[in-house]
Amino acid sequence: MASKTTNSKQTGEQHPASSEAQFPDLTVHAEGTADRLQHVNETAKADCLETVEVELAVEYDIDSFDEWRSLIDPDYVKHGQTVEKGTIINDLLDRLEAHYRRQSSSRFQASDWNLTVTGSATAWRRLFMEFSQMRGSDSDRADKAALRLKQLLAADLADTGAALAALELINQYDLDTPTDTFMAEVTDSTGDE
């Protein structure tokens, strides 16, 4: 059984007309196996919960910086990991209308799930340069943005747009940052086409 779940853009919600006021167009893509939990009997004497295994393909649009920080935070470092994929997927499943539970013995790992955030290079740049609260000069902010983009790429959480955004920032602000990781991502993505 396969399900596809989406949010916001399909619900008809209105966003501000100004592109400056609108959050960058970033989408979380997640695919994997989960348990769908549903009540089949809720009488005063009996409460029965049925578990059904499902394959999920979830597309979730991130609409604000607060939502980005609460779902996928590049500063989120716990248990020695830059990104805890299992925690992100559990949080994503909690946001769905139905009741889903990820099938895993680990709260932090989710090796059986594919998880990626996609967006254009412009969207990734805006996320870290305009919507984050980093202090300092534009060059300092660009340097921190490139580092965070590198962390997301290393965790296999970001797409090629993030690598392109980092390369643009490194070039524009003449940053002393190695480009190997970003170039490898761009080369791999163009080699797949």
Side-chain angles (χ1 to χ4, degrees):
M1 174 191 261
S3 305
K4 178 163 179 161
T5 307
T6 59
N7 83 327
S8 83
K9 289 194 177 168
Q10 286 72 32
T11 62
E13 291 178 8
Q14 296 298 315
H15 295 286
S18 167
S19 62
E20 291 181 5
Q22 186 176 357
F23 192 76
D25 189 13
L26 295 171
T27 304
V28 181
H29 300 269
E31 293 182 9
T33 304
D35 288 331
R36 183 178 65 223
L37 309 175
Q38 55 189 1
H39 284 278
V40 292
N41 187 7
E42 296 182 67
T43 65
K45 291 192 168 199
D47 188 7
C48 182
L49 193 63
E50 180 182 36
T51 302
V52 180
E53 182 179 310
V54 293
E55 289 286 329
L56 293 177
V58 180
E59 288 183 9
Y60 189 90
D61 300 318
I62 300 175
D63 294 326
S64 69
F65 189 69
D66 287 342
E67 193 168 47
W68 166 264
R69 300 279 302 186
S70 68
L71 185 61
I72 302 171
D73 184 354
D75 292 329
Y76 185 76
V77 180
K78 289 188 177 178
H79 310 100
Q81 300 176 48
T82 301
V83 173
E84 291 182 353
K85 196 161 105 173
T87 302
I88 294 170
I89 292 168
N90 286 340
D91 289 348
L92 186 62
L93 293 177
D94 286 344
R95 293 164 189 253
L96 302 179
E97 290 180 14
H99 298 284
Y100 293 97
R101 179 179 61 208
R102 182 173 56 88
Q103 299 173 328
S104 175
S105 59
S106 167
R107 288 178 24 216
F108 313 114
Q109 297 296 329
S111 56
D112 55 335
W113 275 76
N114 293 322
L115 180 67
T116 310
V117 181
T118 60
S120 67
T122 302
W124 284 110
R125 281 182 62 151
R126 286 188 63 211
L127 173 68
F128 290 112
M129 293 298 285
E130 293 180 31
F131 288 89
S132 60
Q133 302 301 317
M134 293 184 285
R135 295 193 174 134
S137 67
D138 284 350
S139 180
D140 289 340
R141 292 170 62 214
D143 192 46
K144 290 175 187 173
L147 175 63
R148 291 181 180 181
L149 289 166
K150 184 176 182 178
Q151 291 172 334
L152 292 173
L153 286 164
D156 274 339
L157 193 63
D159 70 339
T160 307
L164 291 170
L167 289 170
E168 289 174 7
L169 289 169
I170 291 167
N171 184 48
Q172 180 179 353
Y173 294 98
D174 196 25
L175 302 176
D176 186 22
T177 303
T179 60
D180 298 350
T181 302
F182 307 120
M183 293 299 291
E185 173 65 28
V186 173
T187 303
D188 288 348
S189 71
T190 56
D192 293 341
E193 294 175 0

